[in-house]
Amino acid sequence: MRRDSALNNGSAGVSDVAPHDEPPTSTAPGGTLRSAVAEEQEFLDLATARRDRLAEHLRAELSAGAVDALERARHRMLRQQYEELRQAREGLVFGRLDGLDGVVRHVGRVGLRDDGEAGEPLLVDWRAPAARPFYTATAVDPQGQARRRHIRTEGSTVVGVDDEPLDGSTTTELVGEGALLAALDKRRTGRMSTAISTLQREQDDIIRAEATGPLIVQGGPGTGKTVVALHRVAYLLFTHRRMADQAVLVLGPSPRFLTYIAQVLPALGETAVVSATCDTLLAGISVQRDESRLLAEIKGRALWQSALENHVTSLLPRPRELKVRWEGEFYVITAAAVAQALASAVQGRPYHRARAAFAEQLHHLLAEVVVEQRETLLDEMEEGFEDILAGVDKSMQNDHRPVRTSTGSDVDGLFSDDEIDDLRHRIAENATIARFIEAWWPTLDTGTLLRDFLADRTQLARFAPQLSAEEIAAVAAEPATWASSDIPLLDALADLLGRVEAPQPQGEFVAERARRQRDWVYGHVVVDEAQELSEMQWQMVLRRCPSRSITAVGDIDQAEAAHRHTSWAQAVQAVFGDRWTAAELTICYRTPREVMDLTGPVLTNAGSHNPPPRAVRSSGIAPWELTVTSAELPGTAAEAVRRLRQRWRDGTVGVIAPAHRVAELAAVLRDVPVLTASESKGLEWDATLLVDPQGIAAEPRGWNGLYVALTRCTQELGQLILTPR
């Protein structure tokens, strides 16, 4: 941070300068551009040197071994700081704010302090409150700023600046319009990159929103939903440090999507994150088969939560008198004592934890009965032999030999506290007692129990009476292997049963421990493409974050899942009721106007109630169509892809087709991804070839799928229309 006596003059809009002493490429005055770039290059060199010194210092500290728990905790913190600095090589500095008070702040990927004794801020972390005007200040609301500068870099070289006066002389609705559009026009690489230098105000508002309850973000294609969700994770972990102790869960729609976003959070310095799909949340369980949309819809309904709860409750043992054998003798525990122990053990606990609590109480009850019965027996024996004992005492008075001193039950027939504790311990360790408890309150296997339940029409009718006879028959007839809709049922049942044992997972990093532990409670959960989740999948989310610190982003108009939800209220009612907050992203940054203009009729046919997002950029390339027959399709598609790849040589090309045509096209298009509309959700390419759009529209919820398919490109869209010939 520093104060300038005067502000540098800079023109609004895109201002590019080639590295170092090459001539500027903008129409702005060359001297002004050269001066601005030179100034920012000097600052970048300073910040880079400081970053390198700090990283080297941390690396040296980490080379020393940690000797105790406190040192290991400190090393974890230092390693995270080191990783943040290491990842910040690219785009270390990307912005600058010139305040009306003359204070200049540079904004970057990490925060840095200078080398001085006072340690003044040198670079402001993009997540810090001081950086917020970089994303939210406007000419109408300058927030104390006179100018915003976007700084574009390649490696360690400043290649361009983009100045925005905040004094009312510009009226653009976008923050850093030049830098934003330049970033959007870049070729796609097949991996999502960070967008911290070009976030817009409505995006930043969501990123920095409070995390005290469910936040549901509606956003159409290209509005930056995923960017917002991931940068929100980075912001929350930066702002709420304790959240990192619990980790953050990011749920995506597919493994391909998770690969696409995999580099974003590490690039932002965040490691306390677990990424998964709903299908991969249960360690050791995998989806083994496809299923019909009908069955997926049936098993996604919220009714299964109460059905499984009632089924597990029915499996709890009922109070009755227990006759237990111990050391050759039978002991009776009354029905009243068993009932009291059962009520105390259950108390909202999962099945196996309640079983463990009851077993512990049974050990105590049995010990009490054993002690009571043996003490009674000793009392009876003592009363029967009073005369004999009196004679023995009299004879001992005449015997001058030493008398042995006895304690506990040897003296008065009573057990000492130590003897009772030893008895309880022996009962708890006894294999016969363990077998008795297992027979009366058996250990259950989650998978076996669910398979048996789903195959039993009588049980289904009893515990899921909302299902029709036809629906029950369809569920009961399914194969025993797992489909996608079974995973939430397994998760619900595993939660109701609980662990048989509770070993503590090992591992240095919190994300490693969280990933292995099914019942881990996360500090925050982010759900991308949230419109696809069934009610039972939402239950999975809530179990992992009972605090309801949840961010869900999606587009209800792109929903293709089997459930029947057409609004967010319908989608989350079963889990959140009315206790959730809505937000909206309204501007499409990715998809060009030329393509978005095609979506109106598609949305109408999809039954949408939402206006499409406003596209803010034009690619200058009109969408095109070719009409082909089925016989001509493979060859025409191959030629179209070849031409697209030639035009977008440094970028990416994707092909989207109806499900029944994917295999045929993939056989001839081996160098590009060939996906269904559902599989393409969340992805983007420079150019998209859309094959047989009518075929996509004819699929279940096909108009929603076609809306997805149309909006995957950032530059060019081509369509192959099939004729009936």
Side-chain angles (χ1 to χ4, degrees):
M1 185 190 304
R2 68 180 190 274
R3 291 181 179 270
D4 282 6
S5 57
L7 298 176
N8 292 319
N9 293 320
S11 59
V14 179
S15 304
D16 286 333
V17 174
H20 296 301
D21 53 1
E22 293 183 16
T25 59
S26 170
T27 58
T32 301
L33 283 171
R34 290 181 188 279
S35 174
V37 169
E39 180 183 20
E40 300 308 339
Q41 183 67 57
E42 181 181 355
F43 182 83
L44 178 59
D45 292 342
L46 175 67
T48 300
R50 178 61 176 152
R51 184 205 70 86
D52 291 345
R53 287 194 297 273
L54 287 172
E56 179 57 29
H57 175 73
L58 290 172
R59 191 191 63 77
E61 285 210 45
L62 288 169
S63 64
V67 295
D68 55 28
L70 185 62
E71 278 294 305
R72 287 193 294 273
R74 179 173 175 272
H75 269 225
R76 284 195 294 271
M77 181 185 67
L78 294 179
R79 185 174 289 107
Q80 182 175 356
Q81 293 174 354
Y82 174 74
E83 285 300 317
E84 281 192 348
L85 292 173
R86 189 180 67 82
Q87 294 281 355
R89 287 194 183 97
E90 186 70 29
L92 175 62
V93 181
F94 56 76
R96 168 176 153 167
L97 289 168
D98 291 19
L100 291 168
D101 57 2
V103 173
V104 174
R105 294 181 176 88
H106 278 86
V107 180
R109 293 179 69 156
V110 294
L112 297 173
R113 292 186 175 273
D114 63 28
D115 285 328
E117 292 184 5
E120 289 294 324
L122 176 69
L123 183 64
V124 178
D125 192 297
W126 71 274
R127 297 161 288 192
R132 191 167 194 199
F134 184 76
Y135 302 106
T136 58
T138 64
V140 176
D141 178 23
Q143 300 174 30
Q145 307 304 314
R147 183 182 67 181
R148 170 175 38 233
R149 170 174 287 177
H150 286 260
I151 303 164
R152 296 197 301 283
T153 60
E154 291 182 2
S156 59
T157 303
V158 176
V159 298
V161 297
D162 174 19
D163 283 345
E164 291 177 87
L166 298 172
D167 57 3
S169 61
T170 59
T171 58
T172 176
E173 64 180 320
L174 300 178
V175 173
E177 181 177 27
L180 172 64
L181 297 182
L184 292 172
D185 281 335
K186 282 185 176 179
R187 298 290 184 267
R188 267 40 191 175
T189 63
R191 292 286 183 93
M192 175 174 280
S193 59
T194 65
I196 49 177
S197 63
T198 56
L199 292 172
Q200 300 299 297
R201 178 163 189 157
E202 69 174 11
Q203 296 174 322
D204 189 73
D205 286 344
I206 293 170
I207 288 169
R208 298 175 193 261
E210 290 295 320
T212 53
L215 177 65
I216 310 296
V217 182
Q218 163 65 28
T223 53
K225 299 182 293 295
T226 301
V227 164
V228 166
L230 297 179
H231 286 70
R232 178 160 169 76
V233 171
Y235 169 77
L236 291 175
L237 287 172
F238 175 84
T239 306
H240 306 285
R241 293 298 186 182
R242 289 189 177 181
M243 195 176 284
D245 296 335
Q246 296 177 276
V248 171
L249 173 64
V250 175
L251 282 178
S254 66
R256 180 185 290 272
F257 175 83
L258 295 180
T259 300
Y260 175 62
I261 68 170
Q263 300 304 311
V264 176
L265 288 170
L268 294 172
E270 303 303 343
T271 58
V273 178
V274 174
S275 297
T277 69
C278 287
D279 286 350
T280 62
L281 265 180
L282 293 182
I285 302 294
S286 60
V287 173
Q288 300 163 310
R289 63 180 172 87
D290 294 328
E291 62 186 335
S292 70
R293 289 179 65 85
L294 172 64
L295 282 166
E297 189 277 323
I298 293 171
K299 291 198 291 184
R301 298 175 194 170
L303 65 89
W304 291 97
Q305 185 65 37
S306 59
L308 292 171
E309 288 173 1
N310 293 334
H311 179 45
V312 171
T313 299
S314 74
L315 300 175
L316 295 173
R318 298 293 179 261
R320 65 175 177 84
E321 180 182 277
L322 296 181
K323 191 174 183 180
V324 185
R325 185 181 181 88
W326 172 251
E327 293 186 343
E329 300 287 339
F330 283 100
Y331 298 88
V332 174
I333 300 173
T334 66
V338 171
Q340 185 175 2
L342 270 172
S344 175
V346 174
Q347 287 189 342
R349 291 185 177 98
Y351 177 94
H352 288 125
R353 283 178 56 192
R355 178 184 181 278
F358 176 81
E360 185 175 349
Q361 293 195 52
L362 182 65
H363 299 155
H364 285 266
L365 288 171
L366 179 58
E368 289 175 3
V369 172
V370 169
V371 169
E372 180 181 355
Q373 191 163 320
R374 289 187 178 181
E375 287 179 347
T376 300
L377 180 61
L378 287 172
D379 287 343
E380 292 174 351
M381 290 175 62
E382 184 176 351
E383 291 173 4
F385 291 100
E386 284 182 355
D387 293 340
I388 297 174
L389 292 174
V392 171
D393 289 340
K394 184 175 182 180
S395 66
M396 288 177 65
Q397 291 175 5
N398 298 323
D399 191 342
H400 298 291
R401 287 176 298 177
V403 179
R404 180 175 65 88
T405 302
S406 300
T407 60
S409 56
D410 288 336
V411 175
D412 54 12
L414 299 178
F415 283 75
S416 69
D417 289 342
D418 288 343
E419 288 173 324
I420 294 173
D421 286 342
D422 178 67
L423 175 61
R424 288 171 181 159
H425 178 74
R426 289 190 293 118
I427 289 173
E429 296 294 320
N430 186 267
T432 301
I433 300 299
R435 285 193 295 272
F436 175 85
I437 295 172
E438 178 65 31
W440 191 66
W441 192 330
T443 303
L444 300 176
D445 175 72
T446 303
T448 302
L449 185 62
L450 182 61
R451 286 190 179 98
D452 292 345
F453 179 61
L454 294 179
D456 190 329
R457 299 188 187 196
T458 302
Q459 294 272 50
L460 290 173
R462 175 186 174 190
F463 294 110
Q466 305 94 322
L467 297 177
S468 67
E470 293 76 15
E471 290 171 334
I472 289 173
V475 170
E478 278 198 293
T481 52
W482 302 127
S484 180
S485 66
D486 291 315
I487 304 300
L489 305 187
L490 282 165
D491 188 64
L493 195 54
D495 185 67
L496 292 167
L497 293 181
R499 295 168 177 261
V500 178
E501 297 178 354
Q504 292 300 313
Q506 300 298 311
E508 182 176 3
F509 293 105
V510 64
E512 295 174 358
R513 302 198 302 273
R515 188 175 287 107
R516 292 198 297 268
Q517 189 170 329
R518 188 209 63 80
D519 53 356
W520 186 273
V521 174
Y522 289 90
H524 192 78
V525 176
V526 167
V527 185
D528 206 335
E529 302 294 346
Q531 74 278 358
E532 304 300 337
L533 268 61
S534 69
E535 291 172 333
M536 286 305 293
Q537 287 173 325
W538 277 114
Q539 292 283 1
M540 292 180 77
V541 173
L542 186 59
R543 274 191 288 276
R544 283 156 179 79
C545 193
S547 69
R548 302 189 175 206
S549 180
I550 297 166
T551 301
V553 300
D555 181 4
I556 203 70
D557 292 326
Q558 294 186 56
E560 296 180 89
H563 59 67
R564 301 168 184 172
H565 309 142
T566 58
S567 71
W568 285 113
Q570 292 174 341
V572 301
Q573 175 70 32
V575 177
F576 300 140
D578 297 327
R579 297 172 57 191
W580 55 279
T581 302
E584 189 172 5
L585 295 167
T586 62
I587 301 173
C588 174
Y589 307 101
R590 176 188 67 214
T591 311
R593 275 191 214 99
E594 293 87 347
V595 174
M596 287 304 295
D597 288 344
L598 303 177
T599 62
V602 175
L603 281 173
T604 299
N605 287 328
S608 170
H609 303 291
N610 301 308
R614 293 181 295 114
V616 296
R617 57 184 284 272
S618 169
S619 68
I621 305 172
W624 51 267
E625 296 179 358
L626 289 176
T627 302
V628 297
T629 64
S630 293
E632 296 169 335
L633 178 60
T636 305
E639 177 61 18
V641 166
R642 186 189 68 79
R643 291 178 179 274
L644 287 173
R645 293 188 67 196
Q646 189 174 38
R647 282 198 291 277
W648 304 101
R649 188 166 314 213
D650 297 326
T652 57
V653 175
V655 178
I656 305 176
H660 69 279
R661 297 193 182 276
V662 167
E664 173 192 18
L665 292 169
V668 296
L669 304 175
R670 298 183 179 178
D671 296 327
V672 296
V674 181
L675 307 174
T676 65
S678 181
E679 292 169 337
S680 73
K681 192 173 275 105
L683 305 180
E684 62 179 35
W685 302 281
D686 292 280
T688 301
L689 181 65
L690 180 53
V691 176
D692 189 12
Q694 303 97 322
I696 293 176
E699 294 177 332
R701 297 194 80 159
W703 290 106
N704 302 81
L706 184 55
Y707 182 50
V708 173
L710 282 170
T711 54
R712 295 306 96 195
C713 71
T714 65
Q715 304 291 344
E716 181 177 357
L717 172 68
Q719 299 186 70
L720 299 185
I721 311 297
L722 264 69
T723 67
R725 291 184 291 106

